[in-house]
Amino acid sequence: MKTILVLTDFSENATHAAASAVLLGAKLHTNLLLFHNYQSLPVTPFYAGGAMVAEEPEWFAEESKKHLAELEKNLEPVLETLDEDDIKPHIHSESNEGNLVENIKLISSKKDIELIIMGSRTKDPIDHFFFGSETTSVIHHAKCPVLIIPPKNDLSNLKKIVFATDFDKADFDAIQYLIKIGKVFDTDIEVIHVVEPGDTTTIKTDKETLFREHVAKLKYPKITYRKIIGKDVVKRLNRLCKETGTGLLAMVHQHHYLFVRMLKHSITKEIMIDQNLPLMVFPSI
């Protein structure tokens, strides 16, 4: 059985994301693995001139296990709210010291990880996603989709998904997974193609045709297409999501497409913070 990996630092945002993971796991029929990555850090002495000392690694491990047990207990009421047709996911937990990305790789070698879920780390919903080294590192190295859940927003009212695409081959797997989510939530999916002004090359036309043919074979009736033309990509995309009641924004993490172009805009941080949407990022390979 597949597993959703839920990364937690025991913050309020991370706990909120874990509750969303319970809902999604019930719909997708997966287990949940709660994982905490900890570091044994030196402790500053109380007196001047004292040497730096480190807590015993066992202390950090025990504290991590204790908080994970508390998190599992806090998720029990969420399990009770699931629909009768849902399958309650089995929830278990692990913790380990060291590099987060390396620990994720280790977990993935032992379990079939379908999705990674994590909460945004600050009060700004997507702020840590774009500017936090740990989260961007997870996204950069992930071999499966990564879902960022902001505070005060979840997947409980998922009526529409917006997928920003450049019609590359990596987007084929992404749209197939979004359709899987769309089926269990009965969700509309709008495929958005971001076009630079004057960019009407034959290559892009051919890529779009191939993409549409691929999607048509999947036979999901609730898909529509739209183009966004303009240089202020982030602002237009954000406005579209607000106007259409979008519940999830999705894109593929690629080095040559929308993801990087968005980062080049000085307005990106402000716009994405205002957006306050769950964000799913797919690997490019």
Side-chain angles (χ1 to χ4, degrees):
M1 192 170 183
K2 292 189 174 184
T3 298
I4 292 177
L5 175 60
V6 184
L7 306 180
T8 182
D9 60 359
F10 310 120
S11 65
E12 182 178 348
N13 291 347
T15 301
H16 172 70
S20 298
V22 171
L23 171 64
L24 192 55
K27 296 291 185 184
L28 297 178
H29 301 169
T30 67
N31 292 324
L32 261 61
L33 171 58
L34 309 177
F35 179 76
H36 176 233
N37 194 86
Y38 63 90
Q39 300 287 344
S40 297
L41 300 176
V43 179
T44 304
F46 290 104
Y47 58 94
M52 297 291 286
V53 296
E55 292 282 1
E56 292 294 329
E58 292 80 6
W59 183 88
F60 288 94
E62 289 302 318
E63 284 295 298
S64 180
K65 290 179 182 179
K66 181 180 71 174
H67 289 301
L68 283 169
E70 292 174 353
L71 178 56
E72 286 191 48
K73 186 175 181 179
N74 289 336
L75 292 177
E76 290 177 1
V78 182
L79 290 169
E80 298 304 319
T81 66
L82 298 175
D83 295 335
E84 293 183 357
D85 295 335
D86 295 334
I87 296 180
K88 290 185 178 181
H90 174 68
I91 302 175
H92 55 294
S93 59
E94 293 181 14
S95 62
N96 200 11
E97 185 179 15
N99 180 274
L100 176 58
V101 170
E102 293 303 316
N103 280 326
I104 291 175
K105 289 180 180 179
L106 179 61
I107 293 171
S108 299
S109 69
K110 299 177 180 179
K111 298 183 182 295
D112 189 0
I113 302 299
E114 174 172 338
L115 177 68
I116 298 173
I117 293 182
M118 58 196 310
S120 55
R121 298 302 182 89
T122 71
K123 294 181 180 179
D124 299 329
I126 314 297
D127 178 65
H128 188 74
F129 163 67
F130 280 106
F131 302 100
S133 59
E134 189 174 80
T135 309
T136 51
S137 182
V138 170
I139 292 171
H140 181 71
H141 292 92
K143 302 300 182 182
C144 65
V146 179
L147 177 60
I148 313 293
I149 302 289
K152 300 180 181 179
N153 206 328
D154 52 32
L155 304 177
S156 60
N157 191 32
L158 185 57
K159 299 300 181 184
K160 183 168 185 176
I161 297 171
V162 164
F163 178 46
T165 177
D166 206 26
F167 300 122
D168 285 333
K169 289 185 178 180
D171 296 8
F172 289 9
D173 290 338
I175 190 65
Q176 190 161 335
Y177 192 78
L178 292 175
I179 288 174
K180 176 181 178 179
I181 293 176
K183 288 180 178 179
V184 298
F185 285 95
D186 190 28
T187 301
D188 294 326
I189 300 175
E190 186 161 28
V191 177
I192 304 296
H193 182 205
V194 179
V195 182
E196 296 287 352
D199 187 0
T200 57
T201 62
T202 303
I203 294 177
K204 285 190 177 293
T205 302
D206 291 343
K207 287 168 62 177
E208 180 176 356
T209 299
L210 185 62
F211 181 88
R212 285 177 177 256
E213 290 175 351
H214 171 79
V215 173
K217 293 177 182 178
L218 301 177
K219 297 181 179 181
Y220 187 67
K222 306 184 72 172
I223 294 183
T224 56
Y225 294 84
R226 185 188 304 211
K227 289 184 179 180
I228 293 181
I229 302 176
K231 293 184 178 180
D232 200 345
V233 174
V234 179
K235 188 173 183 178
R236 292 175 66 88
L237 182 60
N238 189 33
R239 183 188 303 125
L240 172 67
C241 289
K242 288 182 178 180
E243 291 175 350
T244 60
T246 298
L248 174 67
L249 174 62
M251 61 182 67
V252 173
H253 175 41
Q254 293 174 306
H255 295 289
H256 304 291
Y257 130 78
L258 174 64
F259 194 88
V260 173
R261 282 190 286 168
M262 288 172 70
L263 293 178
K264 292 179 181 179
H265 290 262
S266 60
I267 199 172
T268 299
K269 181 177 179 180
E270 177 184 353
I271 293 299
M272 296 305 287
I273 287 172
D274 289 340
Q275 185 176 348
N276 196 33
L277 278 179
L279 177 65
M280 182 174 288
V281 183
F282 291 87
S284 58
I285 54 174

